[in-house]
Amino acid sequence: MFCWLNRLYRGLSSPTGRTTQLIWGSLSRSLVLSSRRRIPEFSSFVARTNTCGELRSSHLGQEVTLFGWIQYRRQNTFLVLRDFHGLIQLVIPQDESAASVKKILCEAPVESVVRVSGTVISRPPGQENPKMPTGEIEIKVKTAELLNSCKKLPFEIKDFVKKTEALRLQYRYLDLRSFQMQYNLRLRSQMVMKMREYLCNLHGFVDIETPTLFKKTPGGAKEFVVPSREPGKFYSLPQSPQQFKQLLMVGGLDRYFQVARCYRDEGSRPDRQPEFTQIDIEMSFVDQTGIQSLIEGLLQYSWPRDKDPVVVPFPSMTFAEALATYGTDKPDTRFGMKKYLKRKDIESIRKVAADHFNQEVLPVFLKASRHWNSPVAEFILEKQSLELIRLMELQEEDVILLTAGEHRKACSLLGKLRLECADLLEARGVVLRDPALFSFLWVVDFPLFLPKEENPGELESAHHPFTAPHPSDIQLLYTEPEKVRSQHYDLVLNGSEIGGGSIRIHDAELQRYILATLLKEDVKLLSHLLQALDYGAPPHGGIALGLDRLICLVTGAPSIRDVIAFPKSFRGYDLMSNAPDSIPPEELKPYHIRVSWPADSEAEKSSLDHPHHPES
């Protein structure tokens, strides 16, 4: 059950080499990785001799001391002890001289913490358990100590026992004991460590921490606001270290990386977190191909060994191709749509389109005569239908879905219906999206600007305002900016965006023109960055990988909350500590803040003083 741990830690290595005087010449020195590979010492610095999961037949006859949690007991004769590494069976002594040891091990509640010492012995013939890595041996206990008794649990610490997510989050410290959470978090740790090794030791990146307290940034997602002691002045928590990493390039650091904490106040989003983690990267003197090659190598190097290896280079597709072919800029390329749909499925799909998107979708069934069986057939000329058959490479008994409308909206609808078709087919047992298959895709050539939803006559950045325009489209900036493509690229895995980046604008005048003239932003908010670009900024670009989303896909977890130690609920609450919480008025005074309660919200104020769990 716990044999995954050795696989996780196999292959870890550490840098070697003497420390030399820090001079400019030494910075170009390559750090050499040790060729020695070792398994971590899990029992160093502590009182145990071994972990529960590491013992095997090779340890027969050894005296061991183990610490762990009582997993379960059988007939007051056997006890299974668990730690992070695995399970081991203990034989409870039955003779009178060991009555005190038996009393401890038989009376301690499940999930109590104990220390035991004893001898590694073979299990009797026929009693081996091939499903346990330690199933050939057991511990004949000599001494035991109850370190901490466990009170009645709100749920059993077993992966097959169903728990509501609200209950899991409320008792997260118990949920973390489960095999799956242990696996997810340790895999995450291992992948991050390998990423550091690849970036810093193999490619000379510098790991630099950037500030958490910053200022409001124009555009992008809504930011969390932090009060200061100066009246009317506030910090903002950064959505990403975007400006700082560009300034590091101006500062000549050349190659930056950070496991960065980022914050976005996006309200209730089912699979988002208000605080999340990025693998943040920036390089000087690089182009789009260089960034893509770096990321492909990074993922290949850090990929878990118990998964199929990553094959590079990743395929690439333009934004226009992705939208036209898949109806989305993050297509799941694990499947096409060459499967049979029943007529009731078609009606279900039409209902989804009407109910959720207020859009009519018309099915077309191609018969042997190459005639259309569809309500739309009478409105389509034969020449048009034959051309559509040719373009779509339709075969007899194929079904196509037609809709009409603005290009992007129509494509987006059909893309969502493609996924709805996949859901319907998979509900009938057809495997379309194999969770063991990892299908990477680069999506490139995004538009630089999009029309604002609330005011289509104005533009907003499709990525962020620091993204450089495509070199071929520079002149369109001054005539038809809505047609300009950007040097923005996204990395998609199995239909989820796991990374996004761009080549940046390093010319102050161009950056000022885009901000002030095209986006109509207040350039004073970015005066520090514009000033920096005027002082010899190198060409530079970067990317950020969404670590939570990546690990979620790698582990096959149903939600990113399953790969974060202490996540917020989908409404942004910490159900364990009841954050966010109210603060007494006297503690708000130094920040010159007073809560203004709506006239009819005294009941709401009372509920904040005595919070409940809105998702339990």
Side-chain angles (χ1 to χ4, degrees):
M1 178 181 177
F2 281 78
C3 59
W4 49 268
L5 194 64
N6 284 334
R7 292 203 306 273
L8 283 184
Y9 285 97
R10 195 164 53 229
L12 306 190
S13 55
S14 54
T16 61
R18 292 187 301 118
T19 303
T20 59
Q21 182 182 6
L22 183 60
I23 56 174
W24 283 109
S26 71
L27 289 178
S28 63
R29 237 183 354 102
S30 296
L31 291 176
V32 181
L33 280 178
S34 168
S35 60
R36 293 177 299 162
R37 299 191 179 273
R38 56 164 74 172
I39 299 296
E41 299 283 348
F42 290 122
S43 295
S44 53
F45 314 116
V46 294
R48 66 177 175 237
T49 60
N50 301 88
T51 63
C52 295
E54 72 177 286
L55 295 173
R56 300 290 187 272
S57 296
S58 57
H59 296 91
L60 285 173
Q62 291 186 17
E63 298 293 317
V64 296
T65 298
L66 307 175
F67 292 76
W69 286 263
I70 297 175
Q71 178 88 351
Y72 61 89
R73 215 176 357 250
R74 190 168 74 249
Q75 300 171 345
N76 284 346
T77 304
F78 300 103
L79 181 149
V80 172
L81 193 67
R82 183 194 77 243
D83 65 9
F84 72 95
H85 204 169
L87 307 171
I88 187 72
Q89 180 167 286
L90 311 181
V91 180
I92 301 173
Q94 302 296 316
D95 48 299
E96 194 64 35
S97 61
S100 61
V101 174
K102 181 179 180 180
K103 179 179 172 64
I104 290 171
L105 297 181
C106 289
E107 294 183 2
V110 169
E111 288 301 312
S112 294
V113 186
V114 296
R115 177 195 62 80
V116 297
S117 295
T119 308
V120 181
I121 60 174
S122 294
R123 293 197 186 193
Q127 295 187 21
E128 299 90 348
N129 184 350
K131 294 181 181 179
M132 288 177 66
T134 61
E136 294 182 352
I137 52 119
E138 55 193 11
I139 307 299
K140 184 178 180 182
V141 178
K142 294 180 179 177
T143 65
E145 179 184 357
L146 177 63
L147 300 176
N148 207 337
S149 181
C150 180
K151 64 185 289 188
K152 182 175 172 57
L153 293 164
F155 53 80
E156 289 187 78
I157 313 295
K158 293 175 182 173
D159 286 279
F160 60 82
V161 174
K162 299 296 183 184
K163 290 95 57 179
T164 66
E165 186 174 56
L167 193 63
R168 291 177 57 206
L169 293 179
Q170 183 181 354
Y171 296 95
R172 190 58 159 188
Y173 43 83
L174 295 179
D175 189 51
L176 290 174
R177 295 182 190 174
S178 70
F179 159 74
Q180 194 60 57
M181 286 303 302
Q182 289 273 323
Y183 174 80
N184 292 351
L185 294 179
R186 291 177 189 279
L187 183 88
R188 178 182 177 127
S189 172
Q190 183 218 19
M191 287 189 69
V192 169
M193 195 283 303
K194 294 291 284 183
M195 288 177 177
R196 288 185 187 276
E197 188 178 281
Y198 180 84
L199 291 168
C200 295
N201 294 350
L202 295 183
H203 293 288
F205 279 77
V206 186
D207 185 352
I208 301 176
E209 299 166 356
T210 54
T212 298
L213 295 176
F214 193 40
K215 64 182 290 186
K216 176 178 167 56
T217 304
K222 190 173 178 63
E223 295 166 329
F224 284 102
V225 173
V226 180
S228 75
R229 291 175 181 269
E230 189 173 345
K233 297 293 181 71
F234 297 85
Y235 297 104
S236 287
L237 301 183
Q239 304 171 39
S240 77
Q242 182 60 47
Q243 293 182 54
F244 289 112
K245 63 182 183 179
Q246 290 192 240
L247 293 169
L248 287 169
M249 297 305 101
V250 178
L253 269 297
D254 194 73
R255 295 183 169 204
Y256 144 91
F257 123 89
Q258 180 184 187
V259 181
R261 299 292 288 165
C262 305
Y263 308 88
R264 291 178 188 171
D265 187 6
E266 296 185 310
S268 298
R269 301 288 291 270
D271 210 21
R272 295 282 182 93
Q273 286 284 291
E275 48 184 333
F276 55 97
T277 307
Q278 290 181 349
I279 302 296
D280 203 47
I281 292 170
E282 198 80 5
M283 299 173 71
S284 295
F285 312 111
V286 70
D287 60 12
Q288 181 171 308
T289 303
I291 294 288
Q292 291 175 342
S293 296
L294 169 76
I295 295 303
E296 290 168 357
L298 174 70
L299 289 169
Q300 194 174 46
Y301 188 87
S302 61
W303 202 249
R305 294 191 174 194
D306 60 348
K307 310 292 181 187
D308 289 339
V310 170
V311 178
V312 300
F314 301 154
S316 181
M317 180 180 292
T318 66
F319 168 81
E321 290 172 327
L323 193 65
T325 307
Y326 294 97
T328 177
D329 60 2
K330 42 182 181 290
D332 189 339
T333 53
R334 287 175 294 176
F335 70 101
M337 277 298 11
K338 298 176 181 176
K339 302 290 176 182
Y340 288 106
L341 291 169
K342 297 179 180 178
R343 188 165 292 274
K344 67 176 183 180
D345 296 332
I346 300 296
E347 293 310 311
S348 173
I349 290 165
R350 294 185 69 184
K351 189 173 188 304
V352 167
D355 292 350
H356 296 283
F357 304 102
N358 195 28
Q359 184 101 2
E360 177 71 10
V361 171
L362 298 173
V364 174
F365 302 90
L366 190 66
K367 295 302 180 182
S369 62
R370 300 183 72 79
H371 287 159
W372 288 16
N373 180 4
S374 170
V376 77
E378 60 184 282
F379 303 107
I380 302 291
L381 299 175
E382 183 178 1
K383 181 180 178 181
Q384 293 172 324
S385 67
L386 290 174
E387 179 65 10
L388 189 60
I389 290 170
R390 185 188 69 80
L391 287 172
M392 300 293 291
E393 300 179 359
L394 296 178
Q395 304 294 322
E396 183 182 338
E397 300 300 329
D398 277 358
V399 179
I400 60 173
L401 300 174
L402 296 179
T403 191
E406 190 271 325
H407 178 71
R408 183 168 296 180
K409 288 183 179 178
C411 288
S412 177
L413 168 64
L414 292 173
K416 289 180 172 70
L417 294 183
R418 174 176 177 266
L419 297 179
E420 185 70 21
C421 290
D423 290 341
L424 288 168
L425 290 166
E426 288 186 332
R428 296 213 302 266
V430 180
V431 178
L432 291 178
R433 293 169 288 197
D434 183 355
L437 179 65
F438 297 97
S439 183
F440 289 94
L441 175 72
W442 288 108
V443 180
V444 301
D445 289 355
F446 283 79
L448 187 61
F449 306 111
L450 294 173
K452 286 185 177 180
E453 282 192 23
E454 66 277 11
N455 187 357
E458 295 184 5
L459 298 175
E460 63 183 2
S461 295
H463 186 216
H464 58 56
F466 315 115
T467 299
H470 195 286
S472 304
D473 296 351
I474 291 286
Q475 290 308 312
L476 290 174
L477 276 175
Y478 307 98
T479 56
E480 298 176 285
E482 68 280 357
K483 294 184 178 180
V484 177
R485 293 168 297 164
S486 70
Q487 294 188 67
H488 166 203
Y489 33 85
D490 276 354
L491 182 58
V492 177
L493 174 58
N494 294 357
S496 291
E497 179 193 333
I498 62 164
S502 66
I503 301 303
R504 322 300 186 191
I505 298 168
H506 66 279
D507 177 84
E509 284 307 310
L510 177 58
Q511 183 68 83
R512 190 174 285 107
Y513 174 78
I514 286 178
L515 285 169
T517 306
L518 297 181
L519 298 177
K520 298 178 171 53
E521 296 283 3
D522 182 0
V523 294
K524 292 177 184 174
L525 290 171
L526 292 166
S527 59
H528 55 284
L529 180 63
L530 292 169
Q531 186 178 43
L533 295 180
D534 265 331
Y535 287 109
H540 57 282
I543 193 169
L545 295 179
L547 183 63
D548 308 312
R549 180 81 55 203
L550 173 63
I551 302 298
C552 181
L553 291 169
V554 171
T555 59
S559 163
I560 60 170
R561 292 183 288 279
D562 290 318
V563 298
I564 301 171
F566 297 100
K568 303 293 187 292
S569 72
F570 78 90
R571 288 187 180 142
Y573 293 99
D574 180 346
L575 302 185
M576 183 179 64
S577 69
N578 290 318
D581 204 354
S582 55
I583 294 178
E586 60 270 17
E587 292 185 20
L588 291 175
K589 279 185 180 179
Y591 302 103
H592 314 282
I593 290 176
R594 186 180 62 187
V595 177
S596 176
W597 297 98
D600 58 350
S601 67
E602 283 306 309
E604 182 182 349
K605 179 178 184 295
S606 175
S607 72
L608 284 175
D609 293 333
H610 302 89
H612 64 288
H613 297 321
E615 291 147 290
S616 55

